[in-house]
Amino acid sequence: MLPPAEVGMKLEPIRLCAACYTESRRRYRHKLHLLSECPNCGARFKIPALWIDGHCQRCIMRFTEMENYQKFVEV
Ligand SMILES: [Zn+2]
Ligand SMILES: [Zn+2]
């Protein structure tokens, strides 16, 4: 069984911290719930190397907007 092309080599879902993406220059750690799929359309994120566009590949929702969907969690 071959995995779908979008999954690539990793079996685990790609997790995105939209807050860190937005504030990549600051390296403090967030205690945020990581996103494994787009909160707007539910599309799985592609590999981080393809995040240069800064938005969902399907619905074009920006990562900066997704930051609002991340919930603070106690770690
Ligand atoms: Zn973060
Ligand atoms: Zn989307």
Side-chain angles (χ1 to χ4, degrees), residues 27-67:
R27 290 201 171 186
Y28 62 83
R29 298 176 63 180
H30 294 103
K31 293 183 178 179
L32 296 172
H33 178 74
L34 297 179
L35 301 169
S36 59
E37 59 186 27
C38 176
N40 188 48
C41 72
R44 289 282 183 87
F45 293 122
K46 292 188 176 183
I47 59 176
L50 298 177
W51 290 357
I52 52 177
D53 290 335
H55 58 69
C56 172
Q57 71 275 8
R58 184 191 288 178
C59 71
I60 322 294
M61 183 183 195
R62 293 187 178 183
F63 291 162
T64 53
E65 296 179 65
M66 294 180 190
E67 183 177 348

